[in-house]
Amino acid sequence: MKVGQRLRSAVCATNVVVVRAADVTLSCGGTPVVEKLDGEPSGDLAAGHDGGTQLGKRYTHAASGLEVMCVAGGAGALSVDGEVLELKAAKSLPASD
Amino acid sequence: MLLTMAVELDPDRVAVTSGDEHLTYGDLLERSLAVGELLRNDGAEHVGLLDLNTSAFPVALFGAAAAGLPLAPLNYRLADDKLTEAIGRLSPIALFRGEGVASVVDVGDRDVVRATGDLLTATRAASADAEPELVDSESPAVLLFTSGTTGTPKIAVLRHRHLFSYVMSTVEFGHAGSEEAIMVSVPNYHIAGISSVLGSIFGGRRIVQLPSFTPESWVATAARERVTHAMVVPTMLGRILDVLEATGETLPALRHLSYGGGRMPIEVVERAVRMLPHVDFVNAYGLTETSSTVTILGPDDHRDAMASEDPAVRRRLGSVGRPVPSIELEIRGVDGTVVASGEIGEVYVRGEQVSGEYTSHSVVDADGWYATRDQGHQDHDGFLYLRGRADDVIVRGGENISPEEVEDVLTAHPRVRAAAVVGVPDVDWGERVEAVVVIDGELDDLESELVARVRAELRSTRVPVAFHVRDELPFNETGKLLRRAVRAELSEKAGVA
């Protein structure tokens, strides 16, 4: 996993880009995300992993420091080791350039 | 990718305005993908742009990314032979040349020259992929020539992951209101001209391109386009305020003005805050090698400083603020250890956005720290004060003297409009302190007054032993004082160089 890398959900339309990398397995809808997906996403969302993702929002995993940004929203929720990631509050800096 | 997201938000929103021309996010994406195709067919390894700020720039930037090639925006103010040399270093290159640029350049057999018009009329083959692959985040996105006041300019490399990290850590996606518009008047070969475009696209703020800066056109465009945000370099702001004063324009739509790229006199900041009370001011410090901003003095910092009776707080108007959350910053002494607050040393930064890399070599150490070559100190609250380039420090008889410290004392005199202090080679001292000043009236008795001021406020070793009067000082176009040029001239005269 590295900064700027795009990861896709195997079970829903969610796509994320890594903002802060960590040595963990990221899942979406309860199934590990993939770099390349052959065909359309398929399969069911696991119970409790159906909260969805929103375009442009960031999600973090406090324990590992992982941070990703959603570049395409979907029905599945992001998780690491079964723990659903938190939505990071928006905090814009004053524009400097 | 930043662009693709913005398109998903609202493809019909206007992304870029240049004169009477408007490009929506949808247009911009379509053209960028088409330019990507065009570039892949050219077989070039680099993309060059030689143009004023027009709507061609964002298309070139995203088009080069779509082709997986780095974009090198070139300084059209360079002499033709220097430009030809720069282009030669990037061969094979696909060079886009704007109509507003008069430069005559030679290119090699493997290079392709196109008009920037091609960027705006390119169309995609019908068979093209709906969703192109993302470029590798390790690949170079932008190549920028450093100003290179001595020797051959270096080419700084900014990879996609550096720019991505910068935008991610400073801008919230799609947060801009639909009425917001930012004017980009900093040239596209300057890092702020690039980061401004990237951040605005991601934030969803309309970009108004000012092709070439004059204070009159800046004010007229700001008023006509109801510009809400803008970034200027120090030399621009004073001239803009002069125009506002002369025309009575108050720019009611303007909310946010950031400045950086060089040293801003406190007097100009105070005048700006007084003349534009409805505007938030932001001072930013950053370098090409750090993908722009690393510290910010925000709107509240400006207000607190203006309102404060405490000299330590008041002084912050002359600070570049505190590090942004994604940046670590240290001040280190000559022995490489971190100095106490208040002590001057070299500014080191670390963070995902920091490249510190050139085409020839990287200057980031094993732990990721980048030495900026800027001198400065931090106060107890972490506010950073810059004290000039490490290369400009004067070493007189073993004592390190910051030229800016002496310049500040000189320019505080009402008759001194500008001052440059440099070290001139000296047989006894290694270097001696000399000053070049732009003054009202004659030097005569002013010299003894200035000597007395420096002696009283600093110490006798810092008193310039010679004052030279000039009509103006050499600045580069982004407002940086070229002390090296002053030193070269005085050293030659001294005959010891």
Side-chain angles (χ1 to χ4, degrees):
Chain A
M1 190 184 286
K2 62 185 180 186
V3 172
Q5 187 184 12
R6 183 173 186 149
L7 299 167
R8 298 160 199 271
S9 167
V11 295
C12 73
T14 298
N15 274 219
V16 299
V17 171
V18 179
V19 176
R20 199 173 285 273
D23 191 17
V24 292
T25 303
L26 176 68
S27 296
C28 183
T31 308
V33 296
V34 293
E35 207 170 343
K36 276 203 161 46
L37 191 63
D38 293 321
E40 295 297 308
S42 61
D44 296 325
L45 305 179
H49 292 262
D50 53 1
T53 54
Q54 275 181 285
L55 174 69
K57 299 291 185 196
R58 292 166 216 221
Y59 297 87
T60 56
H61 182 243
S64 64
L66 175 73
E67 181 174 335
V68 297
M69 190 185 59
C70 174
V71 296
L78 298 164
S79 63
V80 168
D81 297 336
E83 190 184 336
V84 174
L85 301 200
E86 280 174 48
L87 177 66
K88 193 177 178 187
K91 200 182 72 181
S92 239
L93 291 169
S96 60
D97 47 34
Chain B
M1 196 242 6
L2 300 178
L3 176 60
T4 318
M5 288 176 62
V7 172
E8 284 178 39
L9 198 67
D10 181 2
D12 297 326
R13 209 185 229 202
V14 173
V16 189
T17 299
S18 178
D20 298 329
E21 198 176 24
H22 303 282
L23 283 183
T24 64
Y25 284 97
D27 293 336
L28 186 54
L29 178 62
E30 189 58 34
R31 295 200 182 152
S32 301
L33 295 175
V35 167
E37 252 176 46
L38 184 81
L39 289 170
R40 273 192 291 270
N41 296 333
D42 277 348
E45 287 171 19
H46 303 103
V47 184
L49 180 71
L50 195 54
D51 194 16
L52 310 178
N53 279 351
T54 67
S55 45
F57 175 66
V59 180
L61 185 61
F62 291 108
L69 300 175
L71 176 71
L74 299 165
N75 181 349
Y76 52 83
R77 289 191 174 92
L78 285 179
D80 290 346
D81 59 329
K82 296 278 182 217
L83 263 178
T84 298
E85 197 181 302
I87 291 164
R89 291 172 70 187
L90 299 170
S91 183
I93 184 175
L95 177 68
F96 291 93
R97 200 167 173 289
E99 282 177 6
V101 173
S103 319
V104 179
V105 294
D106 295 327
V107 297
D109 296 341
R110 299 198 298 154
D111 304 329
V112 185
V113 181
R114 297 175 177 280
T116 47
D118 291 0
L119 291 167
L120 302 171
T121 53
T123 49
R124 275 202 293 166
S127 61
D129 285 345
E131 191 190 11
E133 275 307 296
L134 269 190
V135 56
D136 182 358
S137 63
E138 278 300 325
S139 63
V142 171
L143 302 177
L144 279 177
F145 285 82
T146 61
S147 43
T149 40
T150 56
T152 311
K154 294 190 289 256
I155 305 175
V157 179
L158 297 175
R159 299 179 185 275
H160 283 278
R161 67 180 156 87
H162 298 130
L163 296 173
F164 173 78
S165 295
Y166 177 68
V167 172
M168 281 311 113
S169 60
T170 56
V171 186
E172 201 60 37
F173 175 66
H175 78 293
S178 57
E179 77 293 352
E180 290 188 18
I182 181 166
M183 178 152 54
V184 179
S185 54
V186 178
N188 56 49
Y189 52 83
H190 187 280
I191 181 61
I194 296 167
S195 52
S196 180
V197 165
L198 290 175
S200 302
I201 293 285
F202 186 66
R205 185 176 290 137
R206 179 168 66 102
I207 297 165
V208 176
Q209 291 279 43
L210 186 68
S212 183
F213 178 83
T214 62
E216 293 79 13
S217 65
W218 192 96
V219 171
T221 306
R224 186 184 69 235
E225 297 290 343
R226 302 191 53 75
V227 162
T228 56
H229 291 63
M231 189 266 172
V232 293
V233 298
T235 45
M236 294 175 176
L237 186 56
R239 297 170 65 197
I240 289 167
L241 296 177
D242 290 343
V243 172
L244 293 179
E245 210 162 66
T247 59
E249 174 62 56
T250 55
L251 299 177
L254 188 67
R255 302 176 200 165
H256 190 102
L257 191 60
S258 61
Y259 57 92
R263 193 170 167 74
M264 179 75 92
I266 287 192
E267 296 74 21
V268 179
V269 180
E270 289 178 336
R271 183 174 168 221
V273 174
R274 274 196 308 271
M275 285 180 65
L276 297 165
H278 57 291
V279 171
D280 281 349
F281 285 87
V282 172
N283 184 6
Y285 160 59
L287 300 93
T288 300
E289 294 87 342
T290 60
S291 310
S292 200
T293 306
V294 291
T295 69
I296 282 183
L297 186 76
D300 292 338
D301 299 326
H302 279 80
R303 277 189 277 271
D304 291 349
M306 284 293 278
S308 180
E309 299 287 318
D310 180 349
V313 176
R314 181 84 191 176
R315 198 176 301 135
R316 286 184 192 151
L317 280 186
S319 153
V320 293
R322 289 183 281 201
V324 297
S326 50
I327 283 286
E328 293 172 85
L329 188 146
E330 286 181 0
I331 309 287
R332 298 188 192 172
V334 277
D335 60 356
T337 59
V338 176
V339 301
S341 75
E343 274 183 52
I344 291 182
E346 184 172 356
V347 180
Y348 280 70
V349 292
R350 178 163 75 171
E352 300 271 7
Q353 73 190 61
V354 176
S355 148
E357 190 189 335
Y358 305 98
T359 47
S360 49
H361 62 294
S362 170
V363 293
V364 170
D365 73 12
D367 297 323
W369 288 97
Y370 170 66
T372 62
R373 303 298 294 149
D374 283 324
Q375 295 282 113
H377 66 90
Q378 274 183 302
D379 70 12
H380 288 291
D381 297 307
F383 286 85
L384 176 66
Y385 294 78
L386 294 179
R387 281 282 160 211
R389 298 291 288 168
D391 313 303
D392 289 334
V393 168
I394 303 165
V395 186
R396 178 190 181 274
E399 183 188 357
N400 285 359
I401 298 173
S402 150
E404 306 217 355
E405 189 178 48
V406 183
E407 287 163 8
D408 283 353
V409 175
L410 299 179
T411 52
H413 192 287
R415 282 180 55 203
V416 178
R417 279 189 277 153
V421 170
V422 296
V424 175
D426 184 276
V427 181
D428 296 329
W429 295 100
E431 283 185 306
R432 62 174 182 265
V433 182
E434 295 198 11
V436 173
V437 289
V438 181
I439 54 171
D440 294 324
E442 297 297 317
L443 188 61
D444 300 337
D445 48 336
L446 179 62
E447 179 161 349
S448 55
E449 273 183 57
L450 293 176
V451 165
R453 277 183 179 223
V454 176
R455 183 171 291 138
E457 290 186 38
L458 302 171
R459 63 174 81 163
S460 60
T461 54
R462 304 190 181 182
V463 173
V465 294
F467 286 85
H468 309 269
V469 177
R470 297 279 184 281
D471 293 333
E472 57 181 13
L473 297 180
F475 286 97
N476 73 5
E477 72 254 19
T478 57
K480 281 191 189 122
L481 175 61
L482 298 174
R483 279 197 200 77
R484 260 181 274 190
V486 175
R487 186 168 54 204
E489 187 207 317
L490 296 183
S491 302
E492 201 173 308
K493 207 173 286 175
V496 197

